[in-house]
PDB file of all heavy atoms in Angstrom:
ATOM      1  N   VAL A 107      30.772  -2.871 -17.310  1.00 98.00           N
ATOM      2  CA  VAL A 107      31.787  -2.113 -18.064  1.00 98.00           C
ATOM      3  C   VAL A 107      31.066  -1.195 -19.037  1.00 98.00           C
ATOM      4  O   VAL A 107      30.925  -1.501 -20.223  1.00 98.00           O
ATOM      5  CB  VAL A 107      32.748  -3.076 -18.801  1.00 98.00           C
ATOM      6  CG1 VAL A 107      33.915  -2.300 -19.412  1.00 98.00           C
ATOM      7  CG2 VAL A 107      33.253  -4.159 -17.868  1.00 98.00           C
ATOM      8  N   PRO A 108      30.601  -0.022 -18.568  1.00 98.00           N
ATOM      9  CA  PRO A 108      29.752   0.821 -19.420  1.00 98.00           C
ATOM     10  C   PRO A 108      30.490   1.834 -20.281  1.00 98.00           C
ATOM     11  O   PRO A 108      29.870   2.426 -21.168  1.00 98.00           O
ATOM     12  CB  PRO A 108      28.876   1.548 -18.393  1.00 98.00           C
ATOM     13  CG  PRO A 108      29.759   1.675 -17.188  1.00 98.00           C
ATOM     14  CD  PRO A 108      30.641   0.446 -17.176  1.00 98.00           C
ATOM     15  N   ASN A 109      31.776   2.067 -20.033  1.00 98.00           N
ATOM     16  CA  ASN A 109      32.478   3.082 -20.816  1.00 98.00           C
ATOM     17  C   ASN A 109      32.759   2.623 -22.238  1.00 98.00           C
ATOM     18  O   ASN A 109      32.741   3.425 -23.164  1.00 98.00           O
ATOM     19  CB  ASN A 109      33.788   3.464 -20.135  1.00 98.00           C
ATOM     20  CG  ASN A 109      34.558   4.505 -20.923  1.00 98.00           C
ATOM     21  OD1 ASN A 109      34.178   5.667 -20.978  1.00 98.00           O
ATOM     22  ND2 ASN A 109      35.647   4.081 -21.567  1.00 98.00           N
ATOM     23  N   HIS A 110      33.028   1.346 -22.405  1.00 98.00           N
ATOM     24  CA  HIS A 110      33.438   0.825 -23.712  1.00 98.00           C
ATOM     25  C   HIS A 110      32.995  -0.621 -23.834  1.00 98.00           C
ATOM     26  O   HIS A 110      32.675  -1.277 -22.841  1.00 98.00           O
ATOM     27  CB  HIS A 110      34.955   0.916 -23.877  1.00 98.00           C
ATOM     28  CG  HIS A 110      35.710   0.341 -22.700  1.00 98.00           C
ATOM     29  ND1 HIS A 110      36.166   1.111 -21.663  1.00 98.00           N
ATOM     30  CD2 HIS A 110      36.050  -0.934 -22.388  1.00 98.00           C
ATOM     31  CE1 HIS A 110      36.769   0.347 -20.763  1.00 98.00           C
ATOM     32  NE2 HIS A 110      36.704  -0.907 -21.180  1.00 98.00           N
ATOM     33  N   CYS A 111      32.977  -1.112 -25.034  1.00 98.00           N
ATOM     34  CA  CYS A 111      32.671  -2.521 -25.282  1.00 98.00           C
ATOM     35  C   CYS A 111      33.799  -3.108 -26.124  1.00 98.00           C
ATOM     36  O   CYS A 111      34.841  -2.486 -26.327  1.00 98.00           O
ATOM     37  CB  CYS A 111      31.321  -2.674 -25.973  1.00 98.00           C
ATOM     38  SG  CYS A 111      31.232  -1.950 -27.629  1.00 98.00           S
ATOM     39  N   SER A 112      33.597  -4.312 -26.619  1.00 98.00           N
ATOM     40  CA  SER A 112      34.561  -4.947 -27.527  1.00 98.00           C
ATOM     41  C   SER A 112      34.308  -4.521 -28.968  1.00 98.00           C
ATOM     42  O   SER A 112      33.171  -4.228 -29.357  1.00 98.00           O
ATOM     43  CB  SER A 112      34.442  -6.462 -27.421  1.00 98.00           C
ATOM     44  OG  SER A 112      35.125  -7.102 -28.476  1.00 98.00           O
ATOM     45  N   ASP A 113      35.374  -4.529 -29.756  1.00 98.00           N
ATOM     46  CA  ASP A 113      35.175  -4.272 -31.186  1.00 98.00           C
ATOM     47  C   ASP A 113      34.467  -5.441 -31.862  1.00 98.00           C
ATOM     48  O   ASP A 113      34.100  -5.343 -33.044  1.00 98.00           O
ATOM     49  CB  ASP A 113      36.499  -3.954 -31.883  1.00 98.00           C
ATOM     50  CG  ASP A 113      37.498  -5.091 -31.830  1.00 98.00           C
ATOM     51  OD1 ASP A 113      37.252  -6.117 -31.150  1.00 98.00           O
ATOM     52  OD2 ASP A 113      38.569  -4.971 -32.477  1.00 98.00           O
ATOM     53  N   GLN A 114      34.234  -6.538 -31.119  1.00 98.00           N
ATOM     54  CA  GLN A 114      33.450  -7.658 -31.638  1.00 98.00           C
ATOM     55  C   GLN A 114      31.984  -7.589 -31.205  1.00 98.00           C
ATOM     56  O   GLN A 114      31.198  -8.482 -31.529  1.00 98.00           O
ATOM     57  CB  GLN A 114      34.064  -8.986 -31.162  1.00 98.00           C
ATOM     58  CG  GLN A 114      35.517  -9.176 -31.596  1.00 98.00           C
ATOM     59  CD  GLN A 114      35.680  -9.137 -33.095  1.00 98.00           C
ATOM     60  OE1 GLN A 114      35.002  -9.855 -33.828  1.00 98.00           O
ATOM     61  NE2 GLN A 114      36.580  -8.281 -33.575  1.00 98.00           N
ATOM     62  N   HIS A 115      31.618  -6.569 -30.444  1.00 98.00           N
ATOM     63  CA  HIS A 115      30.221  -6.391 -30.056  1.00 98.00           C
ATOM     64  C   HIS A 115      29.394  -6.156 -31.327  1.00 98.00           C
ATOM     65  O   HIS A 115      29.835  -5.455 -32.244  1.00 98.00           O
ATOM     66  CB  HIS A 115      30.107  -5.187 -29.126  1.00 98.00           C
ATOM     67  CG  HIS A 115      28.774  -5.031 -28.463  1.00 98.00           C
ATOM     68  ND1 HIS A 115      27.647  -4.601 -29.136  1.00 98.00           N
ATOM     69  CD2 HIS A 115      28.376  -5.244 -27.172  1.00 98.00           C
ATOM     70  CE1 HIS A 115      26.617  -4.554 -28.302  1.00 98.00           C
ATOM     71  NE2 HIS A 115      27.041  -4.938 -27.106  1.00 98.00           N
ATOM     72  N   PRO A 116      28.188  -6.741 -31.415  1.00 98.00           N
ATOM     73  CA  PRO A 116      27.378  -6.568 -32.637  1.00 98.00           C
ATOM     74  C   PRO A 116      27.144  -5.107 -33.008  1.00 98.00           C
ATOM     75  O   PRO A 116      27.087  -4.773 -34.203  1.00 98.00           O
ATOM     76  CB  PRO A 116      26.063  -7.279 -32.286  1.00 98.00           C
ATOM     77  CG  PRO A 116      26.453  -8.304 -31.272  1.00 98.00           C
ATOM     78  CD  PRO A 116      27.563  -7.691 -30.471  1.00 98.00           C
ATOM     79  N   TRP A 117      27.022  -4.244 -32.025  1.00 98.00           N
ATOM     80  CA  TRP A 117      26.834  -2.835 -32.339  1.00 98.00           C
ATOM     81  C   TRP A 117      28.024  -2.259 -33.099  1.00 98.00           C
ATOM     82  O   TRP A 117      27.843  -1.492 -34.044  1.00 98.00           O
ATOM     83  CB  TRP A 117      26.640  -2.039 -31.042  1.00 98.00           C
ATOM     84  CG  TRP A 117      25.236  -1.986 -30.532  1.00 98.00           C
ATOM     85  CD1 TRP A 117      24.148  -2.641 -31.049  1.00 98.00           C
ATOM     86  CD2 TRP A 117      24.773  -1.231 -29.416  1.00 98.00           C
ATOM     87  NE1 TRP A 117      23.036  -2.344 -30.315  1.00 98.00           N
ATOM     88  CE2 TRP A 117      23.388  -1.482 -29.309  1.00 98.00           C
ATOM     89  CE3 TRP A 117      25.378  -0.386 -28.502  1.00 98.00           C
ATOM     90  CZ2 TRP A 117      22.606  -0.893 -28.300  1.00 98.00           C
ATOM     91  CZ3 TRP A 117      24.612   0.196 -27.502  1.00 98.00           C
ATOM     92  CH2 TRP A 117      23.243  -0.051 -27.401  1.00 98.00           C
ATOM     93  N   PHE A 118      29.224  -2.628 -32.681  1.00 98.00           N
ATOM     94  CA  PHE A 118      30.381  -2.043 -33.346  1.00 98.00           C
ATOM     95  C   PHE A 118      30.586  -2.657 -34.729  1.00 98.00           C
ATOM     96  O   PHE A 118      30.987  -1.966 -35.672  1.00 98.00           O
ATOM     97  CB  PHE A 118      31.646  -2.211 -32.504  1.00 98.00           C
ATOM     98  CG  PHE A 118      32.779  -1.332 -32.961  1.00 98.00           C
ATOM     99  CD1 PHE A 118      32.712   0.036 -32.790  1.00 98.00           C
ATOM    100  CD2 PHE A 118      33.897  -1.866 -33.586  1.00 98.00           C
ATOM    101  CE1 PHE A 118      33.742   0.869 -33.225  1.00 98.00           C
ATOM    102  CE2 PHE A 118      34.930  -1.051 -34.020  1.00 98.00           C
ATOM    103  CZ  PHE A 118      34.852   0.323 -33.843  1.00 98.00           C
ATOM    104  N   THR A 119      30.309  -3.940 -34.854  1.00 98.00           N
ATOM    105  CA  THR A 119      30.363  -4.570 -36.177  1.00 98.00           C
ATOM    106  C   THR A 119      29.405  -3.859 -37.135  1.00 98.00           C
ATOM    107  O   THR A 119      29.738  -3.576 -38.297  1.00 98.00           O
ATOM    108  CB  THR A 119      30.000  -6.059 -36.070  1.00 98.00           C
ATOM    109  OG1 THR A 119      30.908  -6.702 -35.166  1.00 98.00           O
ATOM    110  CG2 THR A 119      30.074  -6.741 -37.418  1.00 98.00           C
ATOM    111  N   GLU A 120      28.205  -3.561 -36.629  1.00 98.00           N
ATOM    112  CA  GLU A 120      27.226  -2.839 -37.432  1.00 98.00           C
ATOM    113  C   GLU A 120      27.725  -1.437 -37.769  1.00 98.00           C
ATOM    114  O   GLU A 120      27.559  -0.949 -38.899  1.00 98.00           O
ATOM    115  CB  GLU A 120      25.900  -2.753 -36.666  1.00 98.00           C
ATOM    116  CG  GLU A 120      24.790  -2.038 -37.419  1.00 98.00           C
ATOM    117  CD  GLU A 120      23.517  -1.883 -36.590  1.00 98.00           C
ATOM    118  OE1 GLU A 120      23.481  -2.399 -35.451  1.00 98.00           O
ATOM    119  OE2 GLU A 120      22.575  -1.231 -37.093  1.00 98.00           O
ATOM    120  N   ALA A 121      28.358  -0.775 -36.797  1.00 98.00           N
ATOM    121  CA  ALA A 121      28.848   0.589 -37.018  1.00 98.00           C
ATOM    122  C   ALA A 121      29.918   0.629 -38.101  1.00 98.00           C
ATOM    123  O   ALA A 121      29.933   1.539 -38.940  1.00 98.00           O
ATOM    124  CB  ALA A 121      29.390   1.160 -35.718  1.00 98.00           C
ATOM    125  N   LEU A 122      30.826  -0.359 -38.112  1.00 98.00           N
ATOM    126  CA  LEU A 122      31.879  -0.381 -39.129  1.00 98.00           C
ATOM    127  C   LEU A 122      31.303  -0.579 -40.525  1.00 98.00           C
ATOM    128  O   LEU A 122      31.852  -0.073 -41.513  1.00 98.00           O
ATOM    129  CB  LEU A 122      32.890  -1.483 -38.812  1.00 98.00           C
ATOM    130  CG  LEU A 122      33.770  -1.266 -37.581  1.00 98.00           C
ATOM    131  CD1 LEU A 122      34.718  -2.449 -37.405  1.00 98.00           C
ATOM    132  CD2 LEU A 122      34.561   0.037 -37.681  1.00 98.00           C
ATOM    133  N   ALA A 123      30.190  -1.314 -40.601  1.00 98.00           N
ATOM    134  CA  ALA A 123      29.580  -1.567 -41.907  1.00 98.00           C
ATOM    135  C   ALA A 123      28.683  -0.419 -42.364  1.00 98.00           C
ATOM    136  O   ALA A 123      28.310  -0.349 -43.540  1.00 98.00           O
ATOM    137  CB  ALA A 123      28.772  -2.866 -41.848  1.00 98.00           C
ATOM    138  N   ALA A 124      28.340   0.474 -41.428  1.00 98.00           N
ATOM    139  CA  ALA A 124      27.425   1.565 -41.736  1.00 98.00           C
ATOM    140  C   ALA A 124      28.188   2.789 -42.253  1.00 98.00           C
ATOM    141  O   ALA A 124      29.415   2.879 -42.165  1.00 98.00           O
ATOM    142  CB  ALA A 124      26.608   1.929 -40.507  1.00 98.00           C
ATOM    143  N   ALA A 125      27.450   3.733 -42.743  1.00 98.00           N
ATOM    144  CA  ALA A 125      28.054   4.933 -43.307  1.00 98.00           C
ATOM    145  C   ALA A 125      28.292   5.981 -42.228  1.00 98.00           C
ATOM    146  O   ALA A 125      27.628   5.974 -41.178  1.00 98.00           O
ATOM    147  CB  ALA A 125      27.125   5.510 -44.376  1.00 98.00           C
ATOM    148  N   PRO A 126      29.227   6.893 -42.463  1.00 98.00           N
ATOM    149  CA  PRO A 126      29.397   8.014 -41.534  1.00 98.00           C
ATOM    150  C   PRO A 126      28.083   8.764 -41.337  1.00 98.00           C
ATOM    151  O   PRO A 126      27.303   8.934 -42.279  1.00 98.00           O
ATOM    152  CB  PRO A 126      30.436   8.892 -42.230  1.00 98.00           C
ATOM    153  CG  PRO A 126      31.239   7.938 -43.065  1.00 98.00           C
ATOM    154  CD  PRO A 126      30.226   6.920 -43.557  1.00 98.00           C
ATOM    155  N   GLY A 127      27.828   9.154 -40.082  1.00 97.00           N
ATOM    156  CA  GLY A 127      26.600   9.870 -39.769  1.00 97.00           C
ATOM    157  C   GLY A 127      25.408   8.980 -39.513  1.00 97.00           C
ATOM    158  O   GLY A 127      24.311   9.477 -39.214  1.00 97.00           O
ATOM    159  N   SER A 128      25.571   7.651 -39.592  1.00 98.00           N
ATOM    160  CA  SER A 128      24.464   6.722 -39.400  1.00 98.00           C
ATOM    161  C   SER A 128      24.121   6.564 -37.926  1.00 98.00           C
ATOM    162  O   SER A 128      24.914   6.875 -37.030  1.00 98.00           O
ATOM    163  CB  SER A 128      24.821   5.356 -39.983  1.00 98.00           C
ATOM    164  OG  SER A 128      25.936   4.802 -39.301  1.00 98.00           O
ATOM    165  N   ALA A 129      22.919   6.047 -37.673  1.00 98.00           N
ATOM    166  CA  ALA A 129      22.498   5.776 -36.302  1.00 98.00           C
ATOM    167  C   ALA A 129      23.395   4.741 -35.641  1.00 98.00           C
ATOM    168  O   ALA A 129      23.649   4.808 -34.434  1.00 98.00           O
ATOM    169  CB  ALA A 129      21.045   5.297 -36.296  1.00 98.00           C
ATOM    170  N   ALA A 130      23.892   3.783 -36.429  1.00 98.00           N
ATOM    171  CA  ALA A 130      24.763   2.747 -35.868  1.00 98.00           C
ATOM    172  C   ALA A 130      26.070   3.355 -35.358  1.00 98.00           C
ATOM    173  O   ALA A 130      26.581   2.967 -34.296  1.00 98.00           O
ATOM    174  CB  ALA A 130      25.050   1.671 -36.908  1.00 98.00           C
ATOM    175  N   ARG A 131      26.610   4.317 -36.101  1.00 98.00           N
ATOM    176  CA  ARG A 131      27.858   4.939 -35.644  1.00 98.00           C
ATOM    177  C   ARG A 131      27.635   5.883 -34.468  1.00 98.00           C
ATOM    178  O   ARG A 131      28.549   6.115 -33.679  1.00 98.00           O
ATOM    179  CB  ARG A 131      28.531   5.669 -36.806  1.00 98.00           C
ATOM    180  CG  ARG A 131      29.132   4.713 -37.811  1.00 98.00           C
ATOM    181  CD  ARG A 131      30.263   5.294 -38.601  1.00 98.00           C
ATOM    182  NE  ARG A 131      30.872   4.259 -39.439  1.00 98.00           N
ATOM    183  CZ  ARG A 131      31.875   4.466 -40.283  1.00 98.00           C
ATOM    184  NH1 ARG A 131      32.402   5.677 -40.413  1.00 98.00           N
ATOM    185  NH2 ARG A 131      32.379   3.472 -40.994  1.00 98.00           N
ATOM    186  N   ASP A 132      26.424   6.391 -34.323  1.00 98.00           N
ATOM    187  CA  ASP A 132      26.163   7.337 -33.242  1.00 98.00           C
ATOM    188  C   ASP A 132      26.150   6.671 -31.872  1.00 98.00           C
ATOM    189  O   ASP A 132      26.175   7.346 -30.849  1.00 98.00           O
ATOM    190  CB  ASP A 132      24.828   8.047 -33.471  1.00 98.00           C
ATOM    191  CG  ASP A 132      24.635   9.211 -32.520  1.00 98.00           C
ATOM    192  OD1 ASP A 132      25.511  10.113 -32.502  1.00 98.00           O
ATOM    193  OD2 ASP A 132      23.645   9.205 -31.765  1.00 98.00           O
TER     194      ASP A 132
END
C-alpha cells in the first residue's frame, strides 16, 4: 500500500509534532 499509510505510522506521528516546512512533514 504505497500511496498512503496510517495516521498512526511513526512517520506521521513525527510529522504532526514537527514544524511546517520540516523534513518530517515533507
Side-chain angles (χ1 to χ4, degrees):
V107 188
N109 179 72
H110 50 265
C111 64
S112 167
D113 62 353
Q114 301 301 307
H115 190 287
W117 274 5
F118 195 69
T119 302
E120 181 184 356
L122 291 180
S128 63
R131 288 205 174 178
D132 190 56

